[in-house]
Amino acid sequence: MSIPFDNSYARLPERFFAPVSPTPGPDARIVRVNGALAFELGLDAEWLNGAEGLKMLSGGQVPDNATPIALAYAGHQFGNFVPKLGDGRAVLLGEVIDRHGRRRDIQLKGAGRTPFSRGGDGRAALGPVLREYVMSEAMAALGIPTTRALAAVTTGELVMRDTAIPGAMVTRVAASHVRVGTFQYFAAREDVEALHILADYVIARRYPEAANAANPYRALLDGVIAAQVELVSRWLLVGFIHGVMNTDNCSIAGETIDYGPCAFLDAYDPAAVFSSIDRMGRYAYGQQPSIAHWNLIRLAEAMLPLLGDQEDAAIEEAQQALAAFGPAFEQAYRAGLRRKLGLGDEAAGDALAAEILSAMTTNAVDFTLFFRRLSGAVGGDDGPVRSLFIDPTAYDAWAIEWRRALEAAPQDAAARRADMDAVNPAFIPRNHQIEAMINAAVDHQDFAPFETLLSVLSRPYDDQPEAARFAEPPLDHERVLATFCGT
Ligand code: AMP
Ligand code: MG
């Protein structure tokens, strides 16, 4: 089989990337090929699972028409600008056009050193690879824009982290790997020509409607802001914490990218932080909208030379574009919360949402279970919901008002429940289950929990009685307090 790679990024000027070859491990083995995604990409899953597929997925052999490259980018890491980061352990094999006509990047992550590796070994460890695989596929099943995982392989090599652990690679599929940090890379070099080329590339590939606008680059900025509003509001509505929202991990295409120390909330808490490297809580759950805004300000700064001929005019365009973020986010987030509560009316819905979230914080209520069980309360069965509260009377008082609001907008109870269940997942990748899955694979070469988790999480909005234990929050001793990047 030959994969019809078309490497549009590799046709950009040389300073956009470095040509590299992936470095395979000594004894590569397939952990899993994502058959459904392979199909979507027009690839043959059986071929990928075979000897030649393994060679491609483990970096052992570059397909004939691929032009492997590592992308150049910069980024603000925890607020500090680093002018040169780039793909230090990822190799973009190329792009394919999927069955829907969309251009998708196919990239090996953990494929060895590149000119951007700095002190790193270019490798990825099995735990983080499996975490990225499960998290990104769960995110896709939740209907949230994300990079995908086409395959995971082990390399047969040990990588040194705190201890020696098995090395692995994940094949990541993205709408594009251009980041806010890619614009920053050229802005820091005052390479305005490259900024133009990059913006034109992104417009053609991802924001074609911007090409017809009076100011295409302003329209591009507006488009990226709208995509981030959509993305981050969706994260909050399922309790996702990215954990490392540096500008190099902020996708121009608006996908969730770079699953490092990410986590889902169990108990609702706006201040929740899991990432072991986020000591200041910069990327806490409730901080994510303002951090996305901060990242977009960095994008607008980098794009200033594109936004107008005069600096004043360019700054005015940037400010206008950025001013849309706050109101657009509030609108998207509040509308999402109202849907989760089964409420149509704006004023009553917003007040009820604020009240219950505050009560959930004080009562350490499981975020996912609360909303999932609430659809049962539509028919009057409050028990399962109220038992989630340390002080159930906090729920009782709220529920009276909530019912009143439901009655004000009459709807068939079954239809309302179905609408609520369609936005309130029963299953999310819970931290303690991810941890148990990783431990089984790394310590006992047991990949059954990985397969089981993937299967359950592929239908997050369906009740799956046989999988009920995966809907449960952690017991006290199972609770995960910190997640690690593990790079
Ligand atoms: P991340 O925090 O994963 O977004 O990575 C930040 C930067 O560090 C990127 O430029 C990565 O390519 C680079 N990096 C992370 N891990 C490694 C590694 N093991 N070897 C080389 N570069 C790495
Ligand atoms: Mg990154």
Side-chain angles (χ1 to χ4, degrees):
M1 147 143 201
S2 106
I3 295 177
F5 281 118
D6 173 57
N7 299 346
S8 65
Y9 210 84
R11 291 195 289 273
L12 294 176
E14 269 171 38
R15 58 197 192 279
F16 280 67
F17 56 84
V20 289
S21 292
T23 316
D27 181 21
R29 286 166 202 243
I30 298 271
V31 172
R32 191 169 204 281
V33 167
N34 186 339
L37 180 60
F39 179 80
E40 194 180 308
L41 296 173
L43 307 182
D44 181 349
E46 221 170 292
W47 181 86
L48 288 171
N49 263 305
E52 284 180 63
L54 172 62
K55 275 191 192 146
M56 181 180 91
L57 298 171
S58 62
Q61 193 178 332
V62 175
D64 290 342
N65 49 354
T67 318
I69 55 176
L71 275 53
Y73 54 85
H76 273 91
Q77 299 188 306
F78 292 91
N80 304 308
F81 186 62
V82 184
K84 189 175 173 191
L85 287 168
D87 288 333
R89 55 169 171 161
V91 174
L92 178 65
L93 288 179
E95 304 142 20
V96 296
I97 309 296
D98 72 13
R99 283 180 193 271
H100 309 287
R102 296 172 305 199
R103 184 175 288 270
R104 315 274 290 268
D105 279 3
I106 298 186
Q107 187 204 56
L108 302 180
K109 185 170 170 184
R113 291 180 53 81
T114 78
F116 302 105
S117 295
R118 297 169 289 160
D121 61 2
R123 290 306 189 190
L126 180 58
V129 160
L130 297 180
R131 180 194 293 273
E132 168 147 0
Y133 195 123
V134 173
M135 284 288 198
S136 64
E137 287 305 300
M139 206 66 140
L142 286 165
I144 298 175
T146 177
T147 63
R148 302 288 303 270
L150 177 63
V153 302
T154 49
T155 58
E157 180 184 61
L158 291 174
V159 295
M160 282 311 296
R161 297 297 182 255
D162 289 339
T163 56
I165 38 181
M169 288 186 208
V170 59
T171 306
R172 178 160 74 180
V173 175
S176 147
H177 280 89
V178 176
R179 308 131 192 275
V180 168
T182 318
F183 281 86
Q184 291 182 292
Y185 180 84
F186 294 113
R189 284 161 183 70
E190 298 181 20
D191 187 345
V192 177
E193 186 198 21
L195 283 173
H196 274 277
I197 294 169
L198 179 63
D200 290 343
Y201 177 86
V202 171
I203 289 174
R205 179 161 172 182
R206 189 70 187 177
Y207 296 93
E209 61 293 343
N212 307 318
N215 182 339
Y217 301 126
R218 164 67 196 274
L220 169 60
L221 181 58
D222 290 339
V224 177
I225 291 172
Q228 285 293 324
V229 162
E230 163 78 10
L231 180 66
V232 177
S233 63
R234 303 282 310 270
W235 285 356
L236 292 207
L237 292 166
V238 295
F240 179 72
I241 309 167
H242 183 283
V244 54
M245 286 175 72
N246 294 332
T247 56
D248 53 303
N249 293 337
C250 179
S251 155
I252 293 295
E255 289 184 330
T256 313
I257 189 168
D258 252 0
Y259 291 84
C262 57
F264 276 74
L265 289 176
D266 292 303
Y268 180 72
D269 175 11
V273 177
F274 291 93
S275 166
S276 63
I277 53 173
D278 188 7
R279 296 207 177 79
M280 309 293 281
R282 178 180 170 89
Y283 301 138
Y285 170 79
Q287 286 296 325
Q288 296 182 113
S290 42
I291 283 295
H293 188 227
W294 192 91
N295 288 346
L296 290 164
I297 298 173
R298 304 286 83 79
L299 174 65
E301 280 169 2
M303 287 179 70
L304 276 182
L306 306 179
L307 290 173
D309 293 334
Q310 305 295 319
E311 198 180 352
D312 287 355
I315 290 174
E316 178 64 28
E317 294 286 345
Q319 282 173 341
Q320 278 177 17
L322 290 163
F325 181 92
F329 178 82
E330 282 302 317
Q331 199 182 1
Y333 174 63
R334 287 187 185 159
L337 279 177
R338 292 196 299 271
R339 274 195 300 276
K340 288 175 83 68
L341 293 172
L343 296 171
D345 182 65
E346 261 185 53
D350 290 350
L352 282 162
E355 266 169 51
I356 199 62
L357 288 176
S358 154
M360 286 165 72
T361 315
T362 358
N363 284 274
V365 173
D366 187 85
F367 183 73
T368 303
L369 281 184
F370 171 80
F371 286 104
R372 186 68 182 188
R373 290 186 183 174
L374 192 64
S375 71
V378 168
D381 184 10
D382 287 294
V385 193
R386 77 189 292 282
S387 70
L388 295 169
F389 288 73
I390 296 168
D391 171 14
T393 60
Y395 169 77
D396 297 337
W398 177 85
I400 294 170
E401 299 300 320
W402 175 63
R403 288 233 158 69
R404 207 166 278 156
L406 290 183
E407 280 159 23
Q411 188 188 0
D412 171 65
R416 172 134 40 207
R417 277 204 299 271
D419 285 354
M420 290 171 71
D421 285 349
V423 294
N424 294 323
F427 300 98
I428 49 153
R430 290 187 182 266
N431 305 321
H432 65 296
Q433 289 151 1
I434 293 280
E435 194 127 303
M437 174 278 287
I438 288 175
N439 290 341
V442 173
D443 299 340
H444 306 288
Q445 294 78 50
D446 175 8
F447 291 90
F450 168 67
E451 293 290 338
T452 309
L453 253 191
L454 274 176
S455 156
V456 172
L457 294 170
S458 70
R459 296 189 294 128
Y461 298 105
D462 292 353
D463 285 318
Q464 302 175 53
E466 68 289 356
R469 72 185 176 92
F470 290 98
E472 292 298 319
L475 301 172
D476 273 343
H477 72 274
E478 292 174 321
R479 192 159 286 136
V480 172
L481 301 174
T483 51
F484 297 86
C485 239
T487 52

